[in-house]
Amino acid sequence: GAGVSQSPRYKVTKRGQDVALRCDPISGHVSLYWYRQALGQGPEFLTYFNYEAQQDKSGLPNDRFSAERPEGSISTLTIQRTEQRDSAMYRCASTGAGETQYFGPGTRLLVL
Amino acid sequence: GIQVEQSPPDLILQEGANSTLRCNFSDSVNNLQWFHQNPWGQLINLFYIPSGTKQNGRLSATTVATERYSLLYISSSQTTDSGVYFCAVPSSGGYNKLIFGAGTRLAVHP
């Protein structure tokens, strides 16, 4: 079956603009995670959903970052008033009945 | 929180060579994953290995949970093995929020 998909794959935006990053998990996967990966580093946790419930948002850096998963499937990570320091790879992962996390291809965000 | 350390940070191999990558973690865990980030940035699952040994082709992994480390073996390396290898373990909290190491950057030359 299809894996985790993310869109857009690349996003270039100007400082101050809002961006919305989309994640479509593997069909039937109830758990969904967002991570951020800076260049040369490992991914860092941002937030976690179980079905539509956001159960942990402790990794979101500040209140410009928000995420939702209204119907328990597709999720959107929104960054308001983007800053240059937000530039990174944003990764989404999902898990089903097991604990293996499957990652999407990521969205590479560049804020000019 | 739990700390994950990977070694070596960088590794250069000639095609055909074997290598061992190490992942140490600071607390007991109930699972561990190894990933390969290829040069195009995709993060690919290699192993889910909370304990014991698994093999998949030229790759194998061993986790000794009681001693808090895991090893990834690459045999007969190929240029397509190049990229960054990450290990990740769950943080405490009852769900699978992963903590990643900084990775081992591998370059395999022909």
Side-chain angles (χ1 to χ4, degrees), chain A residues 8-13 18-21 88 107-111:
Chain A
R9 294 291 307 278
Y10 303 92
K11 178 70 176 179
V12 180
T13 190
D18 298 350
V19 295
L21 312 181
T107 294
R108 192 175 296 278
L109 175 66
L110 177 61
V111 182

Side-chain angles (χ1 to χ4, degrees), chain A residues 35 37 56 91 99-101, chain B residues 33 37 41 45 48 95-96:
Chain A
Y35 294 83
Q37 185 176 11
D56 186 338
R91 297 191 184 274
E99 295 180 327
T100 303
Q101 287 193 28
Chain B
Q33 286 188 247
Q37 180 175 299
N45 289 66
Y48 171 87
Y95 58 91
N96 207 17

